[in-house]
Amino acid sequence: NGAAFSLGAAIFGAFTASVLDDAYTKRKDSPDGVSQMATANELLLALHDVAQNLPSSLDLGEVMSSSRDKFRELFDFQSVTVLVRDDALGNWRTLLADGTRTPPAVSQADLPTSLKGTLELGNTRSIVNLVDSGLVGCSGLSKSALQTVLASRGKTVGLVSIEHTKANAFVEHDVALLASIAPAVALA
């Protein structure tokens, strides 16, 4: 799926660049407003056709399913949650909740305390013992968590919480690994 996404994005980008170049050439050669509108309309129709033919692997549900499977390959856990910021509504939307009953939307105030801390930290971290730390994870049964912020263009766009029912379930290698894949998850 990652390869299909990358290939689709590359094809879409190359085609868009080609269409934009053609549109710019036509616009330069025809200064009147009607010609510019026709050129813009041609560009929109061409982009629409390309978007309609992109592979279904670009579907967000499939991307999250693939992400869950990748998390399972890389980490031993009981639950994983991926939340994305919804600036329009001022809350967090749940994109993935495996092993937990996270509601479809969560307000900033209602984020689990562990995720509030991770958001404030703005980094990837392992919480060795949620209970001893006085924190709560996405799953009420979790004793340890591996969490990260998802950032794109310098802005936090999401949060990931990978949790285990055993304390001290994650090691420094897990922190480094999650930090290394977080940018790819943020782009999804």
Side-chain angles (χ1 to χ4, degrees):
N1 276 346
F5 179 79
S6 296
L7 178 60
I11 292 169
F12 185 73
F15 181 78
T16 302
S18 171
V19 172
L20 285 172
D21 187 46
D22 289 346
Y24 177 73
T25 302
K26 287 180 184 178
R27 183 175 155 240
K28 192 171 70 173
D29 296 339
S30 57
D32 65 85
V34 174
S35 295
Q36 288 179 353
M37 293 286 280
T39 301
N41 191 40
E42 286 175 29
L43 173 64
L44 289 173
L45 287 173
L47 289 175
H48 180 310
D49 289 342
V50 169
Q52 293 298 313
N53 293 313
L54 286 173
S56 63
S57 64
L58 299 179
D59 176 75
L60 186 58
E62 287 184 29
V63 171
M64 284 299 103
S65 177
S66 175
S67 295
R68 180 195 60 232
D69 294 344
K70 184 53 89 176
F71 289 143
R72 287 235 178 262
E73 286 176 30
L74 298 173
F75 307 104
D76 176 30
F77 63 88
Q78 266 67 54
S79 67
V80 60
T81 306
V82 177
L83 302 171
V84 293
R85 189 185 301 262
D86 186 339
D87 289 329
L89 297 176
N91 63 16
W92 296 85
R93 280 186 308 119
T94 304
L95 288 187
L96 176 62
D98 186 22
T100 183
R101 293 185 183 158
T102 306
V106 181
S107 71
Q108 184 83 14
D110 290 334
L111 279 174
T113 54
S114 61
L115 278 176
K116 284 181 185 176
T118 299
L119 181 60
E120 195 173 294
L121 179 65
N123 210 328
T124 303
R125 70 177 179 159
S126 172
I127 304 169
V128 175
N129 192 316
L130 289 164
V131 177
D132 288 352
S133 301
L135 299 173
V136 176
C138 294
S139 168
L141 301 175
S142 294
K143 301 253 184 326
S144 60
L146 179 62
Q147 300 178 335
T148 193
V149 296
L150 300 175
S152 178
R153 298 183 181 149
K155 180 180 174 189
T156 298
V157 296
L159 297 163
V160 174
S161 185
I162 299 172
E163 301 177 8
H164 203 291
T165 55
K166 180 178 76 173
N168 205 19
F170 304 105
V171 295
E172 282 304 312
H173 171 75
D174 295 325
V175 175
L177 189 55
L178 183 58
S180 72
I181 65 171
V185 176
L187 291 177

